[in-house]
Amino acid sequence: MAGCLAGGRLWQGGRAASPTTAALYLPAVAQNFVAATASASFGHAALAALFFGAGVFSWLALESVILHRTMHQPALDKALRPLQGIQAAPAAVGGVSYLALTAGPPDLLAQMLFGYALYQAGLALRQLPWTAQSGLTPAYWAFSFGVMALATMSMSFLARAPQEPVWQALAPLLFAAANLSWMALVALTVTLLRQGRLWPTTGPLSTEQWVGSR
């Protein structure tokens, strides 16, 4: 399944707790959810279900690790804090995958995924003053995963259940929020580019450094 290579490296242990962030979702969770959505879009429902299952249970396993680190270890380094913006992504991206696998009005599971994604997005907003201590950094693009997926879910909900007042209220708000977030991220990127801070300035790794980082 998608993400097996990266996930297998985690099983080998030897990792420090300090760099553990929501970025761990990307190899196993994100890849499987995207593969599920793509498979369903091309009509391969059985294959999509396999990818979806791998993504869901990888997400549940990793979330306990990530939340344990944030609660019981020292606070994240300022440079890593924006990566916590990914925290809302698994439920939202998984919800998009689930909607690709199902038809008709959003069922209870779809609404549960949407609700949890909204909750995580609310927590991210609550944490923004703490996160902003990192200053301007490209890492804020981490928020784009969840924000865009939430907007996509809300628009799909509205299309499938157009008479539901909740979706009528939330879909335009989340769509607007996604567009505003996208414009803010583009503006941030242009600002960093003009300041010469978009790309690392430490130079390429030597062979010894690269091997050591593996």
Side-chain angles (χ1 to χ4, degrees), residues 16-153:
S18 55
T20 297
T21 68
L24 286 180
Y25 292 130
L26 298 180
V29 182
Q31 288 189 44
N32 280 301
F33 282 154
V34 171
T37 303
S39 298
S41 299
F42 284 101
H44 303 296
L47 182 60
L50 297 181
F51 281 123
F52 181 73
V56 166
F57 289 106
S58 296
W59 163 35
L60 296 178
L62 287 172
E63 178 141 333
S64 62
V65 174
I66 293 166
L67 292 182
H68 182 272
R69 184 263 176 271
T70 57
M71 292 179 183
H72 299 290
Q73 297 289 331
L76 282 172
D77 184 90
K78 291 180 180 179
L80 295 176
R81 291 178 187 179
L83 294 178
Q84 293 302 93
I86 302 173
Q87 192 65 40
V93 178
V96 171
S97 296
Y98 183 73
L99 289 173
L101 277 162
T102 58
D107 61 17
L108 178 60
L109 179 56
Q111 294 178 61
M112 288 170 61
L113 290 169
F114 186 64
Y116 189 64
L118 279 176
Y119 170 71
Q120 290 294 339
L123 287 179
L125 286 174
R126 163 67 177 80
Q127 292 288 88
L128 270 181
W130 177 77
T131 304
Q133 294 175 13
S134 64
L136 297 181
T137 165
Y140 280 97
W141 276 97
F143 286 87
S144 66
F145 298 101
V147 170
M148 303 307 166
L150 262 174
T152 301
M153 278 194 81

